[in-house]
Structures are given as structure tokens and as C-alpha cells.
Amino acid sequence: KAGVTQTPRYLIKTRGQQVTLSCSPISGHRSVSWYQQTPGQGLQFLFEYFSETQRNKGNFPGRFSGRQFSNSRSEMNVSTLELGDSALYLCASSFRDRSDTQYFGPGTRLTVL
Amino acid sequence: DQQVKQNSPSLSVQEGRISILNCDYTNSMFDYFLWYKKYPAEGPTFLISISSIKDKNEDGRFTVFLNKSAKHLSLHIVPSQPGDSAVYFCAAIFPGGSQGNLIFGKGTKLSVKP
């Protein structure tokens, strides 16, 4: 079974630009979550989508948004990029319930110059 | 405010010995805890979990212990192997929450020396 895939793997943007990251979950998984990893803050939860609806949201500004499509693929968008948005953005998918293991993709490394 | 804390950024252990990674949490509402392992350039991989109704869960070389009164959990790896060298994250879930909404610690980098 193919794992969680994320595109692109690496991205360089400048301040003020916007960026869209993509995540394809494991086939059959309906929950997709996004996390930001930085050296200072560790892994922080951004949001979770389930069946095209945002189920949970972390404590991030409105510049961070996401969506999920009917095939469970998800996109994350960051508008008006700031230097502090430089991070590894990880996507994870799970089947449905809280007991279902979550599987992470390799991440997208975003650098904001 | 960090609700899940891993106070040791790094740990070095000799191959064959026990590795003990610690995690403290501040919110007594958490009812499910997990450990993930992360290699460079890869996403975290689930290792082991424990429900708050238990105090121990074992899976092969990995055992997680939960002390609710102390709001503390630990991961024991016995025996440690060089391939265990990675960053280990502790994570927690609120009641009603899912594994899609994990509160992570900042991680502990484990180095197992041959």
C-alpha cells in the first residue's frame, strides 16, 4: 500500500508570497492532518480534515488554511508568507477513529527568504 | 504554554543497554498517549501508545509506562540498538479527540553508540 505523499518536497518562497502544499493520504484514509515542525517549537498541530470538513484547528493565524477534496486529498495554503513560516510541514492520514494509527508523509520543507 | 514536555533534548546510550525517554504533561484531561520516532528527512513513525486506564504497554523491545498521579510517561527501549538512533516524540490526545489532533512534545534525540 502506498504511503502518504506530499508535494513538493522542497520549496523556496519570498516574504509576502503565498504557497500551496499538497498531501495525498493512504488509500481509504479519510482523516488528514497537518503539522508544522520547527526547531524551536517542535511539532505543532495546524488542522485536521475529515470527509471534506475541518474537524479540528490548532492555534495558528488565519493566514494558514486548508481544504480536503472528495478523494481525501488535502491542500494547505499559507498566504502572506513571513520568515517565521520557514518549517517542515507534515501531513498525516488515518482511517477514521481515534484508535486508528496515524501515518505521516515525509514533509515539505518550506524556506521563506 | 507547552502542555507536553520532553525536558531532555538529547540522550546517548550504549548499544545493548536500556534507553529511557521521559515525557511530562500538564493537562490531566489527556486520556491517550503515543510515542513516535522520526529519522531525518522522514515523517514521524508511530511506535507505541497507551490509554490512561493503563499504566504499562509493551511491544517487543518497547515499553511505555504511565504514571497519572505524576503526569509522567516514559518509553523504555531494551536492548537499545544503533538503528534506534532517532528523534522520539511524545504526544497526547484529549478525550473525544483523534489521532489527527496530537499535542506533541519537542522531542528527544536518542543516539545509540555501537
Side-chain angles (χ1 to χ4, degrees):
Chain A
K1 192 191 266 192
V4 178
T5 57
Q6 292 187 245
T7 56
R9 292 293 311 277
Y10 302 92
L11 204 49
I12 299 175
K13 292 285 188 178
T14 56
R15 277 182 299 175
Q17 287 188 307
Q18 79 164 24
V19 67
T20 299
L21 312 181
S22 181
C23 171
S24 292
I26 290 172
S27 177
H29 284 190
R30 294 167 64 188
S31 167
V32 174
S33 296
W34 290 88
Y35 294 84
Q36 181 196 64
Q37 185 185 11
T38 57
Q41 297 299 320
L43 274 158
Q44 291 187 288
F45 171 73
L46 279 155
F47 27 67
E48 179 197 9
Y49 286 87
F50 181 81
S51 293
E52 302 179 66
T53 301
Q54 190 178 84
R55 184 153 76 170
N56 286 295
K57 188 176 189 302
N59 190 25
F60 277 80
R63 299 185 297 107
F64 292 82
S65 63
R67 59 177 176 169
Q68 186 181 32
F69 302 95
S70 58
N71 61 359
S72 291
R73 192 177 70 83
S74 177
E75 287 182 348
M76 189 193 101
N77 184 276
V78 188
S79 63
T80 321
L81 284 166
E82 300 176 0
L83 295 178
D85 297 333
S86 294
L88 180 68
Y89 289 89
L90 291 157
C91 167
S93 76
S94 61
F95 180 56
R96 184 181 58 192
D97 298 325
R98 76 193 322 246
S99 61
D100 296 323
T101 299
Q102 187 171 213
Y103 296 88
F104 282 81
T108 293
R109 172 72 62 185
L110 171 65
T111 302
V112 182
L113 302 175
Chain B
D1 185 32
Q2 199 80 12
Q3 296 190 75
V4 177
K5 301 176 184 178
Q6 294 177 257
N7 293 319
S8 299
S10 63
L11 175 68
S12 184
V13 170
Q14 206 66 33
E15 180 180 6
R17 306 295 290 267
I18 184 171
S19 294
I20 300 176
L21 296 106
N22 293 304
C23 178
D24 297 297
Y25 59 96
T26 58
N27 196 323
S28 57
M29 296 293 290
F30 288 134
D31 71 342
Y32 199 76
F33 303 89
L34 307 93
W35 284 93
Y36 278 80
K37 177 170 75 172
K38 186 180 186 297
Y39 293 118
E42 294 182 14
T45 303
F46 170 75
L47 258 182
I48 192 168
S49 62
I50 188 167
S51 164
S52 62
I53 62 173
K54 295 186 175 182
D55 53 20
K56 177 182 173 182
N57 189 25
E58 199 170 346
D59 184 2
R61 296 185 298 114
F62 302 91
T63 303
V64 56
F65 295 92
L66 176 62
N67 182 335
K68 288 189 290 294
S69 60
K71 296 196 190 74
H72 176 84
L73 64 156
S74 61
L75 175 68
H76 292 210
I77 307 173
V78 185
S80 301
Q81 300 173 353
D84 296 329
S85 296
V87 178
Y88 288 78
F89 291 95
C90 167
I93 309 178
F94 286 107
S98 69
Q99 290 198 31
N101 180 7
L102 295 172
I103 312 298
F104 279 97
K106 292 190 179 182
T108 296
K109 184 175 182 180
L110 173 66
S111 299
V112 180
K113 311 288 186 190

